Amino acid sequence: MSISRRGFLGWMGAAGMTALSARAGATTRHFEGYPQSLCVLHDITRCIGCRSCEAGCNKVNELPAPAAPFTDLTVLDKKRRTNPKAYTVVNKFTPSQGGKPLFVKNQCNHCLEPACASACFVRAFSKNRDGSVTYDSSVCVGCRYCMIACPFEIPTYEYDEPLTPRIMKCTLCHPRIAKGLLPGCVEACPTEALSFGKREDMLKLARERINKYPGRYIDHIYGEHEMGGTNWLYLSGVPFKTLGMREDLGITPAPDLTSGALATVPMVAALWPALLTGIYAISKRREKMLSGDKQEAIAKAVAEANAKSQAAMTAALDKARKEKEEAVKKAAKTALEPSAQKPQEQ
Amino acid sequence: MFKLKEVLNRSLLTPFNIIAGIIIIIGLIITALRFTGGLGAVTNLSDYNPWGLWIGFDLLCGVALAAGGYVTSAAVYIFGMKKYHSAVRPAILTGFLGYALVVLALGYDVGRPWRLPYPFVVQAGTTSVLFEVGACVLLYLMVLFVEFTPAASEWLGFRRARNVVVRLTMVLTILGVILSTLHQSSLGSLFLIAPSKLHPLWSSQYIPVFFFISSIVAGLSMVIFEGTLTHRYFTDKMDETHLREKEEVVFGFGKAASFVLAAYFAVKVFGIAMDDNWHYLSTGYGAWFLVELLGFVALPCLLYSIGVRDRSIKVIKWAAVWTVLGIMVNRFNVCLVAFNWHLPSSERYFPSWMEIGLSLFVVTVGVVAFKFIVTYMPILYEHPEYKTQHS
Amino acid sequence: MDFFTLQDFYTHTKFIAYILMVVTLIGMAVFWLYLTDHENDDGEFHF
């Protein structure tokens, strides 16, 4: 296939324009998230484990009724996680040194840089301006990579749906907060264990509480930096890991976990063709040289053999000629001898 | 071509056909259950374990073990090692069938398989490693299919189509190596998104390197292993060139596998060193890691080297079997054993009988297809009409 | 060993890594010579 110079320049021009319009990735860039995004602050010291938030969530999201009613507090005796019918659960933790049991509400933390959104190969998750992370079931293929990715083990899957299974998770009541309403759980909470407002304000509120009641709270706002920060913050009176909340997740945002590996993809695409073609060219040249060397060696051997046989033939011819000369001389001598003798006898 | 009447007259009830038939029938039943009852009716997958045997075996092992295609064609066409030429078509066939089966298995595993094209035609999640895996696997499957067509074309008499594709060999081979480098490594990179869920000894920034290098080892070993099987059961289909070259292939690939396994061993040790994870070696999971590293990387490396030194074809063949097993151990370790290591045993996963049955079904479909193609198409022999024209 | 800074951690891990690199390079070279040594074989394949 041959391309004219003009054709080639045309291709290059088009490629160049595309490259210029794409923004170059810069590793010193710093992103702070959407300004004024909304956030929930969960004060664990105020939670009484009444499960009103679970009931509120179930109602506003029109989720199916659970097996046991929300007033049944015996379900708290077992550790629960989110499931296809529950975007949120409250869990009970009994401190090892005794005292009142503690209750923690668990749901999607609406990360600033969600792992689910980073992992989804069909962009089914969006981090919205209002801070919520929402899921679009109309494009979801059901690969469940988001479930692998979420460090908080939140997305749950409708494994019992044969043809239309969905991921289910808390939406931060995205449609409600757009109308200025409170999320269902926040509205239902009777003890203000849940507060709602801008993330900056919730962080300020949390710090104020820690400063005002230092004996009551651990000096740490969970969600401020974990996984790069979340739009759901927590305050606690006991170490978070005793409440089933992982403290070893680090502060690296999820997209940065795979950006290094993904960055090598264009390098391979760009360099491998040159590298492999180069190896091919070298091995082809080597082969040619080897077969060239071989041919040279054969030619040399043939020439040598020729020369040898040539020389042998010349030598043989010389010898034959000499012998012939000798024979002629001898014959002449023999012929002349008797005639030389005869005249002497007379 | 073949005569249909002839085929039907021969008895179809061979032991192979009976066993394969049973497995396929079971597979079809599981298929019905999967699409009427959902994944929950057929698998032991859970919210904590969204990926199970079908991802661990059919996808991860399947792709690694189909790597012989790019490795062999690179050796012959890019590195110019013509003495392995007879191994190219069987390797490409194994690769093509392997990747086709991966797509088949994914059709069962994902929630809505008809939406598999969505990332490419509806919305592209370009931040996702899975997007890159999907794109490269899709493209590579197409490359493998094209690379396979000359054999089919020769069988069907499509001379012109065959010649066009043969002229494209270099381009296809280079493209195949690029795509394979990308997706073999990226299958490992999938787990970079969840470092908090993977045991430190397997969770390394070098996972992409581990997966890529071990895919080369897997490819070399599968060519040897699968060559052993075809030479035994399809000797009558092999022409003189194949019969003559087969030991050289085993020997040469065994030597390469030994050296690459040594490199893989070094790479794995570096993985521990760079994260200062030495102390994990003295734990329970550490012991299992050492079993994988010493028993399934160092040992086959050594076995291969002994086979090479003694020029023993038998030892190399056994080393290949052991290596293939080792690749599977590694993929299972990353995806099922080391993943979720921190969860209580009540939340750990083990495949259901139906998951195992379906994986067996997928492999059986592949073996049946392989058998058919090798019997009727010029894979193990050169078609007499194309003997002097290479590929 | 407890590390308090990234710098200390990297200093330690990369020190070990450099040593391993030298070991690896020498080891691979020796291994290659071992694999390609034809001194004691008869050139035939055995089964």
Side-chain angles (χ1 to χ4, degrees), chain B residues 214-386:
Chain B
S214 58
S215 79
I216 298 175
V217 170
L220 292 167
S221 304
M222 271 304 276
V223 169
I224 297 173
F225 171 62
E226 179 241 299
T228 309
L229 294 174
T230 48
H231 300 155
R232 182 138 158 238
Y233 295 108
F234 296 103
T235 332
D236 54 322
K237 292 277 171 291
M238 294 171 64
D239 67 7
E240 205 224 305
T241 319
H242 280 74
L243 290 166
R244 192 174 13 102
E245 288 183 355
K246 64 185 187 354
E247 273 85 37
E248 192 61 58
V249 171
V250 169
F251 182 77
F253 275 41
K255 187 153 76 160
S258 183
F259 205 55
V260 180
L261 273 164
Y264 180 49
F265 181 86
V267 157
K268 281 255 190 184
V269 172
F270 276 111
I272 305 172
M274 292 300 276
D275 287 327
D276 199 39
N277 280 332
W278 304 103
H279 62 284
Y280 283 109
L281 291 174
S282 56
T283 65
Y285 275 95
W288 182 241
F289 178 83
L290 286 171
V291 167
E292 184 196 314
L293 185 65
L294 298 175
F296 291 98
V297 179
L299 180 61
C301 171
L302 212 69
L303 277 176
Y304 268 126
S305 72
I306 291 172
V308 166
R309 277 290 292 226
D310 295 347
R311 295 183 78 90
S312 165
I313 298 297
K314 188 157 124 179
V315 171
I316 294 178
K317 285 180 178 175
W318 280 109
V321 171
W322 197 244
T323 307
V324 168
L325 234 77
I327 297 295
M328 290 171 56
V329 166
N330 169 258
R331 297 308 193 253
F332 284 147
N333 278 349
V334 172
C335 181
L336 303 172
V337 176
F339 186 77
N340 278 344
W341 68 288
H342 58 293
L343 289 183
S345 50
S346 55
E347 299 295 354
R348 298 301 303 270
Y349 159 88
F350 196 82
S352 67
W353 287 114
M354 285 192 273
E355 284 176 274
I356 297 173
L358 190 86
S359 292
L360 206 58
F361 161 75
V362 169
V363 171
T364 304
V365 167
V367 172
V368 168
F370 185 88
K371 190 166 180 280
F372 176 85
I373 293 171
V374 159
T375 302
Y376 293 105
M377 300 188 208
I379 304 285
L380 295 175
Y381 59 89
E382 279 179 36
H383 196 289
E385 287 173 38
Y386 301 89

Side-chain angles (χ1 to χ4, degrees), chain A residues 119 122 140-141 144-145 156 159, chain B residues 40 47 112 115 123 128 190:
Chain A
V122 76
C140 176
V141 181
R144 309 184 300 284
Y145 188 29
T156 162
Y159 285 110
Chain B
D47 286 337
R112 306 193 211 210
R115 286 192 182 175
Q123 232 171 232
S128 171
L190 285 174

Side-chain angles (χ1 to χ4, degrees), chain B residues 93-156:
Chain B
L93 175 62
T94 309
F96 169 58
L97 289 177
Y99 278 82
L101 294 173
V102 165
V103 176
L104 175 67
L106 280 178
Y108 288 88
D109 186 79
V110 301
R112 306 193 211 210
W114 49 91
R115 286 192 182 175
L116 274 168
Y118 272 38
F120 313 113
V121 298
V122 175
Q123 232 171 232
T126 49
T127 58
S128 171
V129 178
L130 193 59
F131 176 81
E132 194 243 301
V133 171
C136 292
V137 167
L138 177 65
L139 289 172
Y140 186 52
L141 178 63
M142 299 197 294
V143 166
L144 280 167
F145 174 69
V146 173
E147 287 181 314
F148 161 71
T149 53
S153 297
E154 287 170 14
W155 178 54
L156 295 166

Side-chain angles (χ1 to χ4, degrees), chain B residues 48-181:
Chain B
Y48 283 118
N49 298 288
W51 285 357
L53 184 71
W54 293 348
I55 297 293
F57 175 72
D58 293 90
L59 175 63
L60 293 184
C61 291
V63 169
L65 297 176
Y70 86 87
V71 171
T72 312
S73 54
V76 172
Y77 297 121
I78 298 178
F79 291 89
M81 299 177 181
K82 301 235 158 53
K83 58 184 169 173
Y84 303 133
H85 184 265
S86 59
V88 172
R89 278 200 180 169
I92 294 286
L93 175 62
T94 309
F96 169 58
L97 289 177
Y99 278 82
L101 294 173
V102 165
V103 176
L104 175 67
L106 280 178
Y108 288 88
D109 186 79
V110 301
R112 306 193 211 210
W114 49 91
R115 286 192 182 175
L116 274 168
Y118 272 38
F120 313 113
V121 298
V122 175
Q123 232 171 232
T126 49
T127 58
S128 171
V129 178
L130 193 59
F131 176 81
E132 194 243 301
V133 171
C136 292
V137 167
L138 177 65
L139 289 172
Y140 186 52
L141 178 63
M142 299 197 294
V143 166
L144 280 167
F145 174 69
V146 173
E147 287 181 314
F148 161 71
T149 53
S153 297
E154 287 170 14
W155 178 54
L156 295 166
F158 297 157
R159 181 172 280 271
R160 212 177 24 195
R162 180 258 185 213
N163 289 339
V164 165
V165 174
V166 165
R167 264 203 293 275
L168 294 171
T169 302
M170 269 325 287
V171 171
L172 291 170
T173 304
I174 290 180
L175 195 56
V177 175
I178 295 171
L179 292 169
S180 293
T181 308

Side-chain angles (χ1 to χ4, degrees), chain A residues 93-99 102 238 242:
Chain A
F93 294 90
T94 327
S96 49
Q97 59 267 54
L102 299 163
V238 300
T242 62

